[in-house]
Amino acid sequence: MTEKPPASAGPGRPKDLAKREAILEAAQVLFLSNGYEGSSMEAIAAEAGVSKLTLYSHFKDKEALFGEAVKTTCETRLPRKLFVLAEGCSIRQVLLDIGHAFQALVNSPESIGLHRVMVAMATQNPALSRMFFDAGPQRLLLDLEQLLSQAKQRGLLDMDEPMRAAEHFCSLIKGAAHFRLLIGYAALPAPGEAQEHVEDCVALFLRAYGIGESSPIAENSAQR
């Protein structure tokens, strides 16, 4: 259920960046610890050390705050600079950098906790689930699709549907380890194991979509 702002919270109030960041941090803490329904705007304002009026001057309702918290987390862990295809870059290295950052994000305690919250809310509030997907996973897929399309145009990769390739890449990186974490079956992979997993996934991805110098065979030949 969407919480509505008090009548005195009108538009046009000054937006203080530090307070906004404090609100987002408080929202993440409470959403993860108490769930979505268990986190009121009053509690988030108190956790952030701001008034409810200030909170509503930044976010019109709890759903908007939730969506922005998800978006901010993803942008912090997966900055846009990772999806920039510079001239002369190694597509393998670009994919490795994205793969490591994505794995660290989806396997983080914050992400695992948020996924559990969304699974619990799926049947109660499907609109919130869609908001979560659009603010987080979908944005990542769109950024990755754009990157893969550029790589195809430059002759670095070859695929008919960049979005499907983006989904393949993310599914490979998440693997079975992510599901084990979600259900509490296992602990986080060791750093060396996590790194090896990403390298294996990128090699497999390039076997499917790599061409010319970006293919594993070409790279191995160049190193001999």
Side-chain angles (χ1 to χ4, degrees):
M1 179 182 297
T2 301
E3 294 187 29
K4 298 299 182 182
S8 58
R13 293 177 61 82
K15 305 294 191 292
D16 184 286
L17 183 58
K19 290 182 179 179
R20 180 183 176 86
E21 291 177 351
I23 292 169
L24 288 170
E25 290 177 4
Q28 292 177 49
V29 170
L30 293 184
F31 284 141
L32 291 178
S33 60
N34 301 333
Y36 180 82
E37 292 294 345
S39 302
S40 67
M41 293 293 267
E42 290 87 346
I44 293 171
E47 178 74 18
V50 301
S51 68
K52 192 174 178 181
L53 188 64
T54 297
L55 174 58
Y56 278 115
S57 76
H58 287 274
F59 303 98
K60 65 178 183 178
D61 53 40
K62 189 164 71 169
E63 288 185 358
L65 175 55
F66 179 79
E68 190 63 26
V70 173
K71 177 183 173 183
T72 299
T73 299
C74 291
E75 289 179 346
T76 300
R77 296 294 192 98
L78 282 166
R80 304 303 293 270
K81 64 181 181 181
L82 288 177
F83 299 89
V84 175
L85 198 60
E87 286 294 334
C89 69
S90 162
I91 187 62
R92 177 180 179 275
Q93 188 58 53
V94 171
L95 292 174
L96 283 172
D97 292 341
I98 294 174
H100 287 304
F102 177 59
Q103 184 190 57
L105 170 62
V106 297
N107 287 351
S108 67
E110 296 83 3
S111 179
I112 293 298
L114 188 56
H115 275 76
R116 289 170 177 163
V117 169
M118 297 318 304
V119 170
M121 290 291 299
T123 56
Q124 304 172 39
N125 193 339
L128 185 67
S129 297
R130 288 193 293 271
M131 177 184 291
F132 163 73
F133 187 82
D134 290 342
Q138 183 67 10
R139 289 177 63 87
L140 165 63
L141 288 171
L142 291 172
D143 286 343
L144 190 52
E145 178 192 28
Q146 183 177 18
L147 172 72
L148 297 180
S149 296
Q150 292 177 359
K152 178 181 179 180
Q153 293 170 3
R154 296 188 191 181
L156 300 175
L157 298 174
D158 183 33
M159 74 279 293
D160 294 328
E161 300 179 50
M163 176 54 80
R164 289 188 66 185
E167 292 178 353
H168 292 162
F169 182 82
C170 292
S171 296
L172 284 171
I173 297 296
K174 289 175 73 173
H178 181 255
F179 184 68
R180 295 190 190 101
L181 287 170
L182 278 177
I183 63 174
Y185 181 82
L188 277 170
E193 182 182 355
Q195 180 174 345
E196 184 178 2
H197 171 72
V198 172
E199 291 173 352
D200 287 346
C201 290
V202 169
L204 182 58
F205 186 83
L206 290 176
R207 288 191 186 96
Y209 298 113
I211 59 176
E213 295 182 357
S214 68
S215 69
I217 295 176
E219 288 192 4
N220 290 338
S221 298
Q223 293 173 0
R224 293 174 183 170

